[in-house]
Amino acid sequence: MGLTPKPTSPAGKWLGFVTAVWMQSIGGIIYGFSNYSDALKALMNLTQLQLNNLSVAKDVGLAFGLLPGLASDRIPSPLLLLIGALEALIGYGVLWLVTAKIINPLPYWLMCVILGMAGNSGTWMNTAVLVPCMRNFRKNRGPVSGILKGYMALSTAILTDLCAALSSDNPSTFLLMSAVVPIPVCLAAALFLREIPPSSTPAEESEETRYFGITNALAVILAVYLLVYDVTGTRSSAVSFLVAVVLLILLASPLWIPIYLAIKSLVPSRSKSDSDNVEGYNLVNEPLLLGEESVEEAEKKREMAAGATVAVEQTRRPVIGEDHTIFEAFRTAEFWILFGSFLCGVGTGLTVMNNMGQIGQAVGYGDVSIFVSLISIFGFFGRIISGTVSEYFIKIAGTPRPLWTAASQIVMAVGYVIMAMALPGSLHVGSIFVGVCYGVRYAIMVSTASELFGLKYYGLIYNILILNLPLGSFLFSGLLAGYFYDAQATSTAGGGNSCTGAHCYRLVFVIMSIACIIGFSLDVLLVIRTKNVYAKIYASMA
């Protein structure tokens, strides 16, 4: 029989989830723009507004996530993964050729297209793994979104630290890894990730919860390892190989769960014939009589009743908490409140990520990789903790998930104020605050959308909501940050510009903190409007 699990077995189900974790470990490459933005700015002699518009083009690629969203219910996940891997190879591959000076920079408009293709690659890969995992683990949506999006938050730090561990801080190395690494990971996910029936008994649900707890612990160990490596700043060649090996081992560690389940399935248990006999009835060979009815007659009546129910359902509009088409979701106030609050949080957070290279330089930091890693690692903590904590409070009290995003908006606003003050250590503290709160927003949105609008059309609804990323990037990064930076900057030789001092981004941070207060108000409104939905979820878990 061997230890190779069947895709529909518990071991196969968890092996698929592990490959999804690996997929998400490279799924956040899009957030690594700061690692190579300075190189592009210098090579192309760009102003800050032009550079920010390149980052917007990258994020506009996310708008085409509508395509994988539409395709997720029509073509198999392996094909979605293949498309994503090919786009990453082309998009990041061309950027590698440019930054490595193998080819000259392409025309500006074509560089925008290339960055858009690179950004779009992640939407295919992320949709391909997120949708089946949410459906496979319906009773643990918080941990699923927290873990997957947590590893996604770590992806930039993972690739950045692997490059540093290999004694290469060259931005072209980061781009080369971004182009090549997705191919083998996509192949692994294509082989093992399948959509299969979710758990159906309390024992199975309890076992899943236990394994999610272990997966959380392994992820936290990985994040702490990355954090220690970044804080200590160890870069000697003597330990570089060991650092890389340990990092890869930690990434592989969740594999022990499907291996354990595969071994467990080999242990002899009660025969099926014994388990099929309950209270003297053989459920395989004999019809169980219900009064004067046989099982077949009872099943026929149930089918007739179900048909009548479907006919009634088709004549009414679904309520919040039931499956919605995208057009039905558009007609609800809850969808647009969620959309607006998400914009305020992720739009401003993405602006910090895209501009971190210039933010750091403005206040005197030559190397901003530590801030990129801090946002990535603490974004992980925000995602994984919020997913698990919000799930726990739903199960014990029916607490609406948006309550946690409301709290995160306040903390994020404080983070922007701290960064605007530009005191010693402000950028470190602000990066941590922004990372945590960005992570909370992302993980909670993933779960909240599935609970409010269902899982039937989830792939498309999710990709509509993440249109906030390119929209927020355009509003806060392309327009706000780019305009105010250039207004304060001085021209440099070659046609670029630069700004030095806290004033370069101070007004940008103040405006973004106000946006977070608006997002807080929207989240509070969403908490009020969804109390009944979460009360029903709580009651169903009792």
Side-chain angles (χ1 to χ4, degrees), residues 96-292:
W96 167 68
L97 291 173
V98 170
T99 56
K101 299 181 181 180
I102 297 174
I103 64 173
N104 292 324
L106 303 178
Y108 184 80
W109 69 269
L110 191 52
M111 290 295 287
C112 288
V113 173
I114 293 298
L115 277 157
M117 179 178 291
N120 183 247
S121 65
T123 66
W124 292 90
M125 295 184 283
N126 295 336
T127 300
V129 299
L130 181 62
V131 173
C133 286
M134 292 292 284
R135 291 173 176 170
N136 289 349
F137 300 97
R138 292 170 184 257
K139 296 297 181 68
N140 285 282
R141 300 183 197 186
V144 167
S145 64
I147 292 169
L148 291 183
K149 293 306 175 184
Y151 273 93
M152 183 177 179
L154 288 178
S155 57
T156 302
I158 289 170
L159 288 181
T160 299
D161 288 347
L162 275 177
C163 290
L166 297 173
S167 301
S168 176
D169 293 324
N170 194 315
S172 63
T173 304
F174 177 85
L175 289 168
L176 179 60
M177 294 185 69
S178 300
V180 174
V181 171
I183 296 174
V185 181
C186 283
L187 289 176
L191 287 174
F192 299 110
L193 181 59
R194 297 288 186 274
E195 187 174 324
I196 60 178
S199 59
S200 57
T201 67
E204 290 175 345
E205 293 169 12
S206 176
E207 184 178 52
E208 283 184 2
T209 301
R210 184 167 65 254
Y211 291 141
F212 277 122
I214 294 170
T215 308
N216 274 335
L218 294 174
V220 169
I221 292 172
L222 171 62
V224 170
Y225 176 77
L226 291 169
L227 182 61
V228 169
Y229 177 70
D230 288 328
V231 170
T232 57
T234 303
R235 298 291 187 272
S236 67
S237 58
V239 299
S240 60
F241 179 75
L242 180 61
V243 168
V245 169
V246 173
L247 180 54
L248 293 175
I249 291 173
L250 290 173
L251 284 171
S253 61
L255 267 178
W256 83 267
I257 295 177
I259 292 174
Y260 168 75
L261 289 171
I263 295 173
K264 182 180 176 183
S265 68
L266 299 178
V267 178
S269 59
R270 285 196 312 160
S271 66
K272 181 172 175 59
S273 58
D274 290 339
S275 61
D276 283 339
N277 285 279
V278 182
E279 296 183 357
Y281 293 103
N282 188 303
L283 302 184
V284 176
N285 299 318
E286 298 181 12
L288 176 62
L289 299 183
L290 306 174
E292 298 295 325

Side-chain angles (χ1 to χ4, degrees), residues 514-526:
I514 295 173
C516 287
I517 299 301
I518 296 173
F520 166 78
S521 302
L522 291 173
D523 282 323
V524 170
L525 179 59
L526 192 60

Side-chain angles (χ1 to χ4, degrees), residues 256-456:
W256 83 267
I257 295 177
I259 292 174
Y260 168 75
L261 289 171
I263 295 173
K264 182 180 176 183
S265 68
L266 299 178
V267 178
S269 59
R270 285 196 312 160
S271 66
K272 181 172 175 59
S273 58
D274 290 339
S275 61
D276 283 339
N277 285 279
V278 182
E279 296 183 357
Y281 293 103
N282 188 303
L283 302 184
V284 176
N285 299 318
E286 298 181 12
L288 176 62
L289 299 183
L290 306 174
E292 298 295 325
E293 298 176 329
S294 67
V295 171
E296 290 80 2
E297 291 171 339
E299 184 63 30
K300 185 176 181 180
K301 286 189 176 183
R302 281 196 294 269
E303 290 177 356
M304 293 175 63
T309 302
V310 170
V312 172
E313 292 289 332
Q314 291 175 344
T315 63
R316 70 177 181 86
R317 187 184 305 172
V319 298
I320 295 298
E322 298 175 347
D323 286 327
H324 286 63
T325 66
I326 188 60
F327 297 108
E328 290 167 342
F330 280 168
R331 299 172 68 178
T332 66
E334 287 80 4
F335 180 89
W336 295 108
I337 295 171
L338 180 61
F339 189 92
S341 68
F342 191 47
L343 173 64
C344 293
V346 301
T348 58
L350 192 58
T351 298
V352 174
M353 297 178 197
N354 286 341
N355 289 269
M356 183 54 74
Q358 291 69 49
I359 293 172
Q361 287 183 351
V363 292
Y365 292 97
D367 182 8
V368 299
S369 61
I370 179 63
F371 304 114
V372 175
S373 290
L374 283 176
I375 291 176
S376 177
I377 294 169
F378 281 91
F380 158 81
F381 285 119
R383 296 177 196 218
I384 203 164
I385 292 173
S386 65
T388 301
V389 170
S390 64
E391 190 78 18
Y392 173 77
F393 278 94
I394 288 175
K395 291 179 178 179
I396 68 167
T399 306
R401 283 194 208 271
L403 180 65
W404 306 101
T405 55
S408 73
Q409 294 278 24
I410 296 297
V411 177
M412 184 175 266
V414 172
Y416 292 142
V417 172
I418 292 173
M419 295 173 87
M421 295 169 65
L423 298 173
S426 288
L427 199 54
H428 292 82
V429 175
S431 296
I432 293 171
F433 279 26
V434 171
V436 169
C437 296
Y438 186 93
V440 170
R441 286 225 54 88
Y442 213 123
I444 294 294
M445 182 280 293
V446 170
S447 302
T448 301
S450 72
E451 288 158 346
L452 300 186
F453 309 113
L455 288 169
K456 187 174 183 180

Side-chain angles (χ1 to χ4, degrees), residues 36-48 51 358 485 496-498:
Y36 55 90
S37 61
D38 284 338
L40 290 179
K41 186 175 183 179
L43 286 168
M44 299 178 67
N45 295 321
L46 302 176
T47 66
Q48 187 61 33
L51 181 65
Q358 291 69 49
Y485 182 96
N497 64 8
S498 63

